[in-house]
Amino acid sequence: MEQKEEELLKSVALQTANAVLVARRRAEQELIHTKEALERKSVELTHSLSMLSATLESSADAILVTDENERVITWNRKLIEMWGIPSEVIDSREHRKLQEITSKQFANPKAFRERIAEVYLNKPVETFDILETIDGRIVERYSKIQRAEEQNIGRVWSFRDITERRQAQKAEAHLAAIVESSDDAIIGKDLNSIITSWNRGAERLFGYTAQEAIGQPVTMLMQPERFNEEPGILERIRRGESIDDYETVRRRKDGTLVQVSLSVSPITDANGTIVGASKIARDITERKQAEIEREQLLASERQALERAESEARMKDEFLAILSHELRTPLNAIFGWANILRTSDDPLEIAEGLEVIERNARAQTKIIEDLLDMSRIISGKVRLDVQRVDLLSVINSAIETVKPTAAAKQIRLTSVLDPLAGPVSGDPARLQQILWNLLTNALKFTSKGGRVHVVLERVNSHLEISVHDTGSGIAPDFLPYVFDRFRQADASTTREQRGLGLGLAIVKNLTELHGGSVRAKSPGPDRGSTFSIALPMVMNIEADPNRRHPRAVTQEPDGEMLDLHGVRVLAVDDEADARHLIKRILSACGAQVETADSGAAALRFLRKTKPHVLIMDIGMPNEDGYESIGKVRQLKNEEGGKVPAIALTAFARSEDRRRAILNGFQMHIAKPVEPSELIAMVASLAGRTENYRSVPSHS
């Protein structure tokens, strides 16, 4: 029994020892496993810490970690670089609070510290602030709570320098403001010509809103015939080229067209790849219009300059021709005057007087043409309008030029419609028109040629045509044939004389009568035709008080008024002029006294009382206007009311009016026809009722 119990105890002890051994072995194995696990955890933790440190150091932001008491736990190198904090400061225990190591960097440190205190007091999960440093940088500050086992254990702070981004944003905003406020249209498009941006200037210029335009092809602004412009523009953009001041036409929303100047530049992405184009369109309609107006103005100025130069040349040519035309008859007059002074031959004397008279009349005609043109230019031509039968006017003009035609052996023919109605006009001026046309035709028609006059009715007008077989008119001169002072040949070798005023006078006088004039010519040496058209007078009764129209003729030679017993005072500073007046009036029996000035005339008037006073206007010291004024201040018995004639070379209509207003009763222009002077003296002296025939001395 005891042996069995002993064996049992031994067996139990053995089993227990085995169990303990097994347990010990298991414990050792578990310890080994735990140690291995701890080692792995240590390695993992070390790795995690290394990763965390590397992450902090690799961050572009400055990072700072603080505990719940604001004490700095860790940081990255970027923080030290950003704020320039010495390592001994951040490592120092007494300077390891967030407020103390960074607040000096900010423009407003007090606000910085107050904000940190507020964050720790209120414990927001996240915060975000914008800070400005003392050196002008802009910093974003972000913080977030750190938690462990559901408890707040501190905060992570990050600082990001956004100065460049802010500057870029400001620049972008500024640029956007510029783009939006620009008067020019600024448009973006991609390489498929699709509009990607559209500013307000584009809205104003083209009428489309940004919503309407963006996403649409840029060809919406083009006329179909200009679509081919876009491929060429895109090709240049793809090559990186810019286009400046490309002028073209674009279409608005309402369909109207606008002239624009385009500047197109490539748009590149961050990699430098061209992705589109920026286009600036400027309205140049006003500029183009201004350019057109400027060109028109310059053209007008050039034309005006050319006209001025042409007129200056014409003036010089005219003055040269005028000098020639005046000196030519003067040469004959002076030459024959010298011959007559020593000649006793009656035939030679008669020939000389005839030459002198003919050349004097030629000079008179030149002066009359100049005066007529002056009156026409100044609008002072006065017409004695009455009912005129053109047949008598034409026949009279033809009779006047017949001797000239006969001398050149030119056939002068006419076909005049006897049923042609009357016209309303001045018979003297109408005869002047016809005489100028006929003398012009005879002048340019060679010996043996023909001048033909036709009067016919054409609708409600009477048309007078003068055809000649003369030298004709060159086509390039035909438009200017009626211009005053214009001559086809103004050279010193020209064949025909004259001032170039005759046809200009014809044109202006015809137009004053409500008519028109035209010239035709097949060309040089093929003759010419001048035609005037005058409106007819229909169903108008003749005024019985008016004189019957007649051609202007000269007084018959030898028929003069009797001036016996008439006393005349002639005042002129030129002795020859005084002598001429005395010879003319003495031949009619007048008693003529002379004076060489207004003062001498006043002395004569106080001694004797003449019936008529003849006074020149242009005199030295005291002209005729002043002298007649002094005469009119005299008493009647001193000759203050003596009838007076102004005999002067001042022959304009205003000169005539001024003479009458200053006290003269009549005005005669030099050179004077003797018969006209005699008639005026007789009229003022009351001798026009009875006259007798006396031999002519002219």
Side-chain angles (χ1 to χ4, degrees):
M1 185 73 177
E2 290 179 356
Q3 185 179 0
K4 287 184 177 180
E5 289 179 356
E6 185 179 353
E7 290 177 357
L8 179 62
L9 288 172
K10 288 181 178 180
S11 176
V12 170
L14 183 60
Q15 290 178 359
T16 301
N18 288 335
V20 171
L21 182 60
V22 169
R24 182 179 179 181
R25 288 178 178 173
R26 286 180 178 174
E28 290 176 351
Q29 288 178 352
E30 288 179 0
L31 182 60
I32 292 170
H33 289 318
T34 300
K35 185 179 179 180
E36 290 177 352
L38 288 173
E39 289 177 352
R40 285 196 301 271
K41 289 290 185 180
S42 177
V43 171
E44 290 175 0
L45 180 58
T46 301
H47 180 70
S48 296
L49 290 174
S50 298
M51 290 292 293
L52 177 59
S53 178
T55 301
L56 288 175
E57 292 302 327
S58 64
S59 174
D61 297 336
I63 298 175
L64 186 69
V65 181
T66 60
D67 62 11
E68 279 294 284
N69 297 315
E70 299 184 41
R71 288 192 300 269
V72 175
I73 303 300
T74 188
W75 62 89
N76 68 352
R77 188 174 301 277
K78 185 69 176 179
L79 181 78
I80 296 175
E81 293 175 355
M82 178 180 286
W83 306 122
I85 305 172
S87 58
E88 61 269 15
V89 172
I90 199 166
D91 288 337
S92 174
R93 290 188 175 275
E94 58 270 18
H95 292 97
R96 292 188 65 174
K97 282 203 171 184
L98 175 60
Q99 297 185 41
E100 296 170 350
I101 65 173
T102 58
S103 62
K104 295 179 181 178
Q105 307 297 325
F106 298 103
N108 191 343
K110 181 180 178 181
F112 177 85
R113 289 192 294 271
E114 289 175 351
R115 177 60 178 156
I116 296 297
E118 180 186 352
V119 169
Y120 273 96
L121 179 64
N122 296 323
K123 297 182 179 176
V125 176
E126 294 181 352
T127 66
F128 182 84
D129 303 282
I130 298 295
L131 306 175
E132 184 174 349
T133 66
I134 57 176
D135 56 2
R137 289 179 293 164
I138 306 297
V139 177
E140 287 180 346
R141 179 180 61 185
Y142 174 74
S143 75
K144 189 172 183 179
I145 289 180
Q146 265 191 321
R147 296 180 66 83
E149 297 178 357
E150 299 182 355
Q151 290 185 356
N152 295 342
I153 63 172
R155 302 190 77 86
V156 177
W157 304 81
S158 68
F159 300 87
R160 179 173 297 175
D161 189 340
I162 61 168
T163 305
E164 291 185 2
R165 189 178 77 191
R166 276 301 180 94
Q167 290 175 345
Q169 288 174 344
K170 286 183 179 180
E172 185 177 349
H174 183 63
L175 179 60
I178 292 174
V179 168
E180 283 304 307
S181 63
S182 174
D183 289 334
D184 296 334
I186 302 178
I187 303 167
K189 64 180 179 180
D190 62 19
L191 294 180
N192 294 317
S193 296
I194 301 301
I195 297 172
T196 56
S197 64
W198 188 266
N199 75 334
R200 293 187 184 277
E203 291 184 7
R204 289 190 294 269
L205 181 57
F206 296 112
Y208 293 98
T209 65
Q211 291 179 340
E212 292 172 324
I214 294 176
Q216 299 298 319
V218 76
T219 51
M220 67 184 286
L221 305 176
M222 299 182 183
Q223 299 168 274
E225 61 267 24
R226 292 185 178 270
F227 284 173
N228 59 352
E229 292 180 5
E230 185 63 11
I233 293 174
L234 283 179
E235 182 61 29
R236 294 181 63 179
I237 292 300
R238 288 190 179 97
R239 294 198 301 264
E241 298 178 11
S242 294
I243 302 172
D244 295 322
D245 297 328
Y246 175 68
E247 295 183 0
T248 184
V249 176
R250 291 294 181 257
R251 183 173 58 189
R252 295 188 176 101
K253 182 179 179 179
D254 60 7
T256 59
L257 301 179
V258 57
Q259 291 180 308
V260 297
S261 173
L262 299 180
S263 294
V264 189
S265 302
I267 297 176
T268 57
D269 61 12
N271 298 320
T273 303
I274 296 174
V275 295
S278 173
K279 177 168 62 177
I280 300 175
R282 175 168 296 174
D283 185 352
I284 59 172
T285 304
E286 292 185 1
R287 192 187 82 191
K288 281 293 185 181
Q289 183 61 34
E291 289 176 357
I292 292 172
E293 291 175 357
R294 184 172 65 253
E295 286 299 322
Q296 291 175 343
L297 179 60
L298 290 174
S300 177
E301 290 178 350
R302 285 193 296 270
Q303 292 173 358
L305 180 60
E306 291 172 359
R307 285 196 300 271
E309 291 174 348
S310 176
E311 289 174 0
R313 287 194 301 271
M314 289 170 56
K315 177 183 176 182
D316 292 341
E317 292 171 356
F318 170 72
L319 291 175
I321 292 171
L322 177 61
S323 175
H324 176 271
E325 293 298 311
L326 289 173
R327 288 176 182 276
T328 299
L330 277 177
N331 183 62
I333 292 171
F334 286 140
W336 276 99
N338 287 325
I339 292 172
L340 295 181
R341 187 177 290 111
T342 59
S343 176
D344 294 328
D345 185 351
L347 294 178
E348 190 175 53
I349 292 173
E351 180 186 0
L353 291 174
E354 182 182 349
V355 171
I356 290 172
E357 181 179 3
R358 182 169 63 250
N359 281 275
R361 292 188 182 279
Q363 273 201 335
T364 301
K365 178 63 172 61
I366 293 172
I367 294 169
E368 286 299 326
D369 282 350
L370 288 171
L371 292 174
D372 278 341
M373 184 52 62
S374 175
R375 295 184 190 107
I376 288 169
I377 293 172
S378 60
K380 295 178 180 178
V381 174
R382 298 292 181 264
L383 299 180
D384 180 16
V385 179
Q386 49 189 281
R387 189 183 179 95
V388 180
D389 178 9
L390 282 181
L391 284 172
S392 61
V393 173
I394 296 171
N395 283 325
S396 179
I398 291 174
E399 288 298 322
T400 303
V401 299
K402 271 185 177 180
T404 304
K408 293 185 68 174
Q409 299 180 14
I410 295 173
R411 283 194 303 148
L412 184 59
T413 60
S414 63
V415 175
L416 309 179
D417 183 357
L419 300 179
V423 297
S424 179
D426 185 328
R429 291 299 188 181
L430 290 173
Q431 182 170 335
Q432 183 180 2
I433 292 170
L434 265 297
W435 185 86
N436 278 351
L437 289 179
L438 287 170
T439 54
N440 185 74
L442 292 171
K443 180 194 296 186
F444 291 99
T445 301
S446 302
K447 182 178 180 180
R450 181 190 178 201
V451 174
H452 184 58
V453 184
V454 176
L455 170 65
E456 58 184 337
R457 177 172 176 173
V458 179
N459 298 324
S460 61
H461 289 73
L462 291 183
E463 186 168 290
I464 306 169
S465 299
V466 178
H467 310 269
D468 66 65
T469 59
S471 58
I473 306 169
D476 58 344
F477 185 73
L478 196 59
Y480 309 104
V481 71
F482 291 107
D483 289 0
R484 62 179 182 270
F485 309 137
R486 279 285 189 122
Q487 297 196 38
D489 182 8
S491 66
T492 57
T493 59
R494 63 197 182 110
E495 296 181 3
Q496 304 297 339
R497 295 175 57 186
L499 297 178
L501 293 177
L503 293 178
I505 292 172
V506 167
K507 179 178 184 294
N508 284 277
L509 290 180
T510 301
E511 290 175 350
L512 284 174
H513 283 81
S516 60
V517 61
R518 67 180 188 276
K520 296 187 298 182
S521 176
D525 302 320
R526 300 178 65 183
S528 58
T529 300
F530 289 85
S531 302
I532 61 172
L534 297 169
M536 293 175 56
V537 178
M538 307 299 292
N539 301 322
I540 298 178
E541 293 294 331
D543 185 352
N545 296 321
R546 295 192 69 86
R547 297 174 298 166
H548 183 72
R550 59 183 178 84
V552 178
T553 58
Q554 297 180 6
E555 292 287 339
D557 287 343
E559 192 172 277
M560 292 188 180
L561 295 168
D562 185 359
L563 298 180
H564 279 83
V566 176
R567 297 187 301 277
V568 178
L569 173 60
V571 184
D572 199 306
D573 61 307
E574 293 287 342
D576 289 343
R578 297 194 300 272
H579 184 64
L580 177 63
I581 295 171
K582 187 170 185 176
R583 287 289 301 273
I584 292 172
L585 298 179
S586 296
C588 297
Q591 300 175 14
V592 182
E593 297 290 341
T594 62
D596 60 2
S597 66
L602 288 174
R603 290 194 296 270
F604 182 87
L605 285 171
R606 290 189 178 96
K607 293 179 180 179
T608 181
K609 186 178 179 182
H611 295 104
V612 178
L613 172 63
I614 301 174
M615 183 177 290
D616 186 23
I617 297 297
M619 295 186 293
N621 300 322
E622 184 179 279
D623 63 18
Y625 298 127
E626 295 178 83
S627 297
I628 195 65
K630 292 180 179 180
V631 169
R632 295 306 178 216
Q633 292 175 4
L634 297 175
K635 297 178 181 179
N636 186 26
E637 58 271 18
E638 294 177 340
K641 293 186 178 180
V642 60
I645 299 171
L647 177 59
T648 176
F650 294 106
R652 300 173 301 174
S653 58
E654 53 263 40
D655 298 321
R656 182 180 296 107
R657 182 171 61 253
R658 184 179 178 186
I660 301 302
L661 292 175
N662 276 275
F664 289 99
Q665 277 68 43
M666 293 184 178
H667 178 280
I668 310 176
K670 293 179 179 179
V672 64
E673 287 284 349
S675 58
E676 184 179 6
L677 178 61
I678 293 168
M680 283 193 174
V681 171
S683 176
L684 292 180
R687 294 296 186 90
T688 55
E689 294 299 326
N690 301 312
Y691 64 90
R692 64 182 178 82
S693 295
V694 297
S696 174
H697 293 272
S698 61

